[in-house]
Every structure is written in C-alpha cells, then in structure tokens.
Amino acid sequence: MTDMKKKILGIPLYWIYIVLLVAMIMIIVGSFSDLSISNALASESNWLGCLVETWGEIFAYATIPVGGVMLFKGLWTYGKRWQKILGPVFLVLSVLIGGYLFGDSLKIKAPDDPTLAVRSYGYGLSENKWLCVAIGLVLFVLIAVGVYFLLKKDDPAALVKAGTLMLTVVLLQWLILLLLKYVGGRPRYRFLYYGDTAGVFEGSKYVYSEWWKFAFFSNPAKDCFYSWPSGHTATAAVTLCLTAASSCFRFDGKYCKLALFLSALAYTLIVALARILAGAHYLSDTGFGLLITSLLILGFCFLYQKVFSPLDKQDNETSSLTD
C-alpha cells in the first residue's frame, strides 16, 4: 500500500503502472487479433485517422517547446550565470525543433517512387514542406509564449526537473523507435491492403507479418515498413510527463494533476485508435509505442530518485549551513 501511494517527481507510481497495464493488454490482444481488428476497423478515408495523421501530433510535439520554456524559466530564475545562458539556448532550440517536426507531419507525403503521383489519402496540409514548417513554427512560438505566462516561478527547481523529464523522454523515445522500426521492418496494413506508396516495391509480394517476426533490416528502409512500433502513439504518450509539471502551473489545484494525467492518457489512446483506423498501425504496434514511452518515464523517475534526489538534498543542507 505504501508503494502504491509513492510519488516520484510528483507522479503517483500506480498511475504509471496503470498505463503499463493498458499497454500490455493492447500488446497481448493485438498479438492474437491484429489482422482481424485492422480488417474490421481500418479505412484509408476514415475522418479520425486522416485528422490525427495531419494534426494529431501537435500536443505531442508541443511537449518539446513546453519543456524548453520550463528549462528557460527555471534556469533563468535559479541557475548560475552559465546556466542562465543555457536557458535561452534550450528555449530557441526547442521551439525550432518542435516546430520543424510538427511542420513535417503536416506535409503531404510524396510516394517513395518519384515517378508516381502524390496520393495523400485525405491527410496532409500541403506539398510545400517549408510552408508547413513555417506554420508549425508560428504555432509553437505562440504555444511557448502562452506556456511561459502560465508557469509559476516560485519553484524553479521543479521547472528544471519537469522540463528535463519531457525533453529527455521525447528524445530517447524517438531514437529507440527509429532503431526498432529499422529492425522490425513490419509492413503497414495500408501498404499491404490498399497500396500505400507501394508501386516500386511490388506490394503484392509482401504479406501480413506478426510483430515478433523481425525483418532485421532486410526490408527497404521506407515508411511503408515502419508499422512496428507506433511512433505517433509513443510521441503522444510523452504528454503524460505533464503530470510531473502540474505544480508548476498557475492553475494548479486539487484535481489538476489527475486532470492532466487523464487528459494525456485519453489523448494517447485516441491517437492509437486513429492510427489503427488509418491503416498505419496494428493494435500491438500502438501498445508497444505506449509501453516504450511509459517505461522511459518510469525509468527517468527512478533514476531521479536514486541519483539526483540525494544531490538535491545535499545542496539544500549545504545552503542551510551557509545561511
């Protein structure tokens, strides 16, 4: 019971355990029923699938400038001179990187074969990449400004911890998923069943494959073989880190932390469902995306408890003696 009530970085551990349980259920059910579920639900013109394919990652990628704003405000308020200099660097880079990534997700993707016509399945904003990036940057600058004024500055250490958590998790999950997608090489449902940029790859020679049948780099390194695990779901799950930042906001109240947690979990599950509806992923793919990010959050929390928490305590004791 004590462990159930335990908190690390303000996150009740049992909340993370609930998310891990949901991810495991998705993986287990999907392992037996992936194809039948996609056969029943997937449609290339599904409105939710198209909407999330285009705009669904805005909240996920917004965690990058949000983390940057937290680091900036925390370091600028609390840090030493060299740390104050790092604050604006983190802020600018986070807005640029987040805006670029989201802008790229707005672009209508061209087929892997340059001789084929662009086919967008109803998603994507424009074929002009730099127009999409400009839109992403404008939106994320506005988000960064808004978040700055929503944050309190009376606990700069909490701001630094929460910002570090978000930026670390979003970077690590991106690197891990990139590697796993190359290793897995699982064909997307829509590639197999209604020709997602399939022309040059002779889609008919590829068949449905379970997630555990890794291709080990034998399939072409193209988007149509990046089904496992789900990057959209993993990135969306980074919003769960906002739970650790609830005390940093001006609107922090009795149920703020719970509201942020439930909103982030609901958003992640909606993204997961939309990816299945779009034929981009199977159920088990989305379960692994959620599992990977949840484990990263849990691992960071335990790392903080074992490594950084004692250092914070030591700094506080030293500061008290100096005073």
Side-chain angles (χ1 to χ4, degrees):
M1 184 62 72
T2 303
D3 188 60
M4 292 292 286
K5 294 182 178 179
K6 191 174 183 180
K7 295 181 180 180
I8 303 180
L9 287 182
I11 305 176
L13 277 180
Y14 77 92
W15 289 5
I16 302 179
Y17 296 153
I18 289 172
V19 177
L20 292 174
L21 177 61
V22 171
M24 290 304 302
I25 291 173
M26 293 166 69
I27 292 170
I28 293 170
V29 173
S31 295
F32 294 98
S33 308
D34 266 346
L35 185 56
S36 59
I37 291 172
S38 290
N39 282 337
L41 298 179
S43 169
E44 60 180 317
S45 59
N46 179 273
W47 70 270
L48 181 61
C50 294
L51 178 67
V52 169
E53 187 102 30
T54 304
W55 294 98
E57 288 186 294
I58 185 168
F59 300 114
Y61 284 134
T63 58
I64 301 175
V66 169
V69 171
M70 287 180 172
L71 279 176
F72 167 72
K73 197 160 189 175
L75 291 173
W76 195 261
T77 306
Y78 173 75
K80 299 173 183 176
R81 179 173 296 180
W82 66 271
Q83 292 172 323
K84 289 181 184 293
I85 296 173
L86 283 178
V89 174
F90 282 122
L91 176 61
V92 173
L93 285 178
S94 65
V95 172
L96 290 176
I97 293 172
Y100 176 84
L101 291 174
F102 179 61
D104 186 62
S105 71
L106 293 177
K107 181 181 179 295
I108 296 175
K109 301 300 187 291
D112 295 305
D113 181 355
T115 65
L116 298 177
V118 171
R119 181 183 177 190
S120 71
Y121 301 103
Y123 59 78
L125 192 64
S126 169
E127 293 179 47
N128 188 322
K129 177 178 180 177
W130 295 110
L131 173 62
C132 293
V133 170
I135 293 172
L137 288 172
V138 170
L139 287 173
F140 278 23
V141 167
L142 294 174
I143 288 173
V145 172
V147 168
Y148 178 86
F149 288 107
L150 286 174
L151 292 173
K152 297 184 291 189
K153 61 179 181 180
D154 54 355
D155 191 356
L159 287 170
V160 172
K161 293 168 192 172
T164 302
L165 170 66
M166 271 186 274
L167 294 180
T168 302
V169 170
V170 76
L171 174 63
L172 288 179
Q173 65 86 22
W174 180 79
L175 292 173
I176 291 170
L177 262 74
L178 186 64
L179 174 63
L180 291 179
K181 283 178 180 288
Y182 283 129
V183 172
R186 188 183 194 186
R188 296 185 189 270
Y189 178 88
R190 64 187 179 198
F191 167 56
L192 294 176
Y193 292 93
Y194 38 85
D196 180 34
T197 68
V200 73
F201 295 130
E202 300 175 34
S204 60
K205 78 175 184 178
Y206 295 101
V207 296
Y208 168 76
S209 175
E210 289 81 4
W211 65 262
W212 60 84
K213 295 181 179 178
F214 296 161
F216 290 109
F217 306 98
S218 61
N219 284 341
K222 299 295 182 180
D223 181 76
C224 44
F225 296 98
Y226 291 166
S227 185
W228 181 86
S230 170
H232 275 71
T233 308
T235 309
V238 178
T239 56
L240 291 165
C241 295
L242 289 170
T243 308
S246 64
S247 63
C248 300
F249 290 99
R250 296 181 185 276
F251 53 77
D252 179 36
K254 184 178 180 181
Y255 299 107
C256 178
K257 190 184 299 292
L258 178 61
L260 283 173
F261 170 76
L262 292 177
S263 299
L265 180 58
Y267 163 64
T268 304
L269 294 178
I270 289 171
V271 169
L273 172 62
R275 299 304 284 155
I276 298 170
L277 294 174
H281 293 289
Y282 298 97
L283 177 61
S284 62
D285 300 333
T286 61
F288 272 104
L290 178 58
L291 179 68
I292 289 167
T293 300
S294 302
L295 286 174
L296 286 172
I297 294 172
L298 184 63
F300 186 93
C301 288
F302 277 119
L303 179 66
Y304 174 79
Q305 182 190 36
K306 297 295 184 183
V307 178
F308 297 107
S309 187
L311 294 176
D312 285 348
K313 185 177 180 181
Q314 184 178 353
D315 287 343
N316 291 334
E317 289 175 352
T318 303
S319 178
S320 298
L321 289 174
T322 304
D323 294 341

